[in-house]
Amino acid sequence: MENPTGRNSRDAILDAATKIAQAHGYGGLNLRALAEQVGIKAASLYHHFPSKADLATAVARRYWEDAAAGLDALTSRTPDPTERLRKYPGTFRKALENDNRMCLCSFMTAESDDLPGTVMSEIERFNEVNVDWLGKTLLEAGVVGSRDAKKRAHAIFAAVAGAQLMARGRSDIKLYDTLIKSYQAAGLLPPP
Amino acid sequence: MENPTGRNSRDAILDAATKIAQAHGYGGLNLRALAEQVGIKAASLYHHFPSKADLATAVARRYWEDAAAGLDALTSRTPDPTERLRKYPGTFRKALENDNRMCLCSFMTAESDDLPGTVMSEIERFNEVNVDWLGKTLLEAGVVGSRDAKKRAHAIFAAVAGAQLMARGRSDIKLYDTLIKSYQAAGLLPPP
DNA sequence: ACCTGAACACCGTTCAAGT
DNA sequence: ACCTGAACACCGTTCAAGT
């Protein structure tokens, strides 16, 4: 094997691009800076991805795939659906723990007017994955009936994304925790 | 008087810049495009504002001043505090009604890592204005006690901003309305 | 297969020059 | 006072040329 670690330069590019996009968005993803971080020249990026749009599409796809895997793992590891709902905000907390970054998809949702369509599709997939998981879990937990599961799932997703955004703006992860607690106290999320 | 309408070119620049920033953010605010919209050249913008950072600071300041005035007007026009809380999401709805734009401050909060400090300060002022107004109104309405007013105010603000962001991403103002209704049904906002 | 320097049209910004 | 063209270093992107 030429590459025993399995970490090829394509993955290194995706990793670095993800972190940059989580802090600066699609527009702020500078290919020269990205290339420097990976140790190559900007022109060399085009050997791995046909364009910035394609690179960002790959980044966003891998992002929701990882999110889906993480939610699956949470489901396996936590049999009680109510407990899973309590843990859900922890998945959005990770980005803040990671140098005050935010969800790639929230950032790019703001940028939707300037986003290539292929990127936007992957962003929408991320939202779907989260809302579907939440809806399923809400139903299983008996928090809402089947008529309201999807609506409530959407509401929780939007509220959690908003909390992450605000906490990032203040670089204050404690604000995120406070907001989640307020959501629980108000009844949007199941109380601890 | 040389300018009977009171609308000088400085205001025209601020108006156009606000609309652009609401759809493309600070990074996406293109000075050449802005100038063209106003009918001058990009270099001429520097006669009115020393830099893009100063222009954006003026935009953000006027934005929260207008928001504060709007909330004051809502207070005067609606004596019942509970009714005011029901109407609050309408203030965020306006941006969506305006060609699927979003709150300038939510967008720039995402961009906080790349924002000049003077702009960030004005953004924070917008948040303060909203959270203070909400906290005061929540107290007056007796929804929460003084110990929790600010926390709940923050939670409502973050959730409403998140709802606006999601609705914008889908270009679906009905989603915004559905999310607000879900917040009301869950108990985050007073029910109709 | 992978990388590069040089070039392109585009950004924010400056500045000398115009009215 | 207000505007402009030309220039600067920087963007995404291309391409011919290297190993």
Side-chain angles (χ1 to χ4, degrees):
Chain A
M1 267 202 220
E2 309 94 336
N3 189 3
T5 69
R7 245 190 67 92
N8 54 30
S9 50
R10 185 190 152 91
D11 285 339
I13 293 167
L14 288 177
D15 287 347
T18 301
K19 294 184 86 175
I20 294 172
Q22 278 185 278
H24 307 281
Y26 179 78
L29 177 57
N30 181 324
L31 295 193
R32 281 181 171 86
L34 168 62
E36 190 176 21
Q37 209 161 306
V38 180
I40 58 179
K41 297 294 171 183
S44 307
L45 291 171
Y46 287 79
H47 183 74
H48 302 276
F49 300 96
S51 69
K52 181 177 175 175
D54 288 284
L55 165 61
T57 304
V59 165
R61 180 176 299 131
R62 207 185 55 159
Y63 195 79
W64 73 252
E65 286 172 350
D66 289 352
L71 291 174
D72 277 353
L74 177 55
T75 300
S76 310
R77 151 166 43 93
T78 313
D80 178 19
T82 305
E83 186 58 26
R84 287 205 292 275
L85 291 172
R86 290 193 194 101
K87 287 185 180 170
Y88 176 75
T91 64
F92 269 72
R93 194 180 197 276
K94 282 179 196 155
L96 294 169
E97 293 164 7
N98 188 11
D99 289 325
N100 198 38
R101 286 186 170 78
M102 64 178 282
C103 176
L104 188 76
C105 298
S106 300
F107 206 138
M108 291 192 176
T109 296
E111 294 176 295
S112 54
D113 283 3
D114 303 306
L115 229 48
T118 51
V119 180
M120 197 63 210
S121 298
E122 303 297 337
I123 302 302
E124 282 160 8
R125 194 79 189 83
F126 177 85
N127 294 356
E128 269 176 41
V129 162
N130 277 269
V131 171
D132 288 353
W133 185 93
L134 281 167
K136 213 177 48 188
T137 311
L138 285 163
L139 261 180
E140 201 183 330
V143 174
V144 290
S146 57
R147 214 177 56 88
D148 291 327
K150 186 141 198 177
K151 285 182 189 174
R152 175 66 77 91
H154 245 113
I156 292 173
F157 180 67
V160 169
Q164 188 197 48
L165 179 64
M166 295 305 153
R168 161 169 161 81
R170 297 214 188 176
S171 305
D172 182 4
I173 197 165
K174 278 188 304 189
L175 173 60
Y176 180 77
D177 296 334
T178 305
L179 287 168
I180 298 303
K181 275 186 200 137
S182 295
Y183 292 157
Q184 291 170 337
L188 185 65
L189 280 166
Chain B
M1 262 200 225
E2 308 94 337
N3 189 6
T5 69
R7 244 192 69 93
N8 52 32
S9 51
R10 185 190 152 91
D11 285 339
I13 293 168
L14 288 177
D15 287 347
T18 301
K19 293 183 87 175
I20 294 173
Q22 279 185 277
H24 308 282
Y26 179 78
L29 176 57
N30 180 323
L31 296 193
R32 280 182 171 87
L34 168 62
E36 190 176 20
Q37 209 161 310
V38 180
I40 57 179
K41 297 294 171 183
S44 307
L45 291 171
Y46 287 79
H47 183 73
H48 301 277
F49 301 94
S51 70
K52 180 176 176 176
D54 287 284
L55 165 61
T57 304
V59 165
R61 181 176 299 131
R62 209 185 57 158
Y63 194 79
W64 73 251
E65 286 171 351
D66 289 351
L71 291 174
D72 277 353
L74 178 55
T75 300
S76 310
R77 149 166 43 94
T78 313
D80 178 20
T82 306
E83 186 57 26
R84 287 205 292 275
L85 290 173
R86 288 192 196 103
K87 287 184 180 169
Y88 176 75
T91 65
F92 270 72
R93 195 180 195 275
K94 282 178 196 156
L96 295 169
E97 293 164 7
N98 188 13
D99 288 326
N100 197 38
R101 287 186 170 77
M102 63 179 283
C103 176
L104 189 75
C105 297
S106 299
F107 207 137
M108 290 193 178
T109 296
E111 293 176 295
S112 54
D113 283 3
D114 302 306
L115 230 47
T118 52
V119 180
M120 197 64 210
S121 298
E122 304 297 337
I123 301 303
E124 283 161 6
R125 194 81 188 81
F126 178 85
N127 294 355
E128 268 176 42
V129 162
N130 278 270
V131 171
D132 288 353
W133 184 92
L134 280 167
K136 215 175 49 187
T137 312
L138 285 164
L139 261 179
E140 201 183 330
V143 174
V144 290
S146 57
R147 214 177 56 85
D148 292 326
K150 186 142 197 173
K151 284 182 189 174
R152 175 66 78 91
H154 245 114
I156 292 173
F157 180 67
V160 169
Q164 188 196 47
L165 178 65
M166 294 306 152
R168 164 170 160 77
R170 296 213 189 177
S171 306
D172 182 4
I173 197 163
K174 279 187 304 188
L175 173 59
Y176 180 76
D177 296 334
T178 304
L179 288 168
I180 299 300
K181 274 185 202 135
S182 294
Y183 291 158
Q184 291 169 337
L188 185 64
L189 280 166

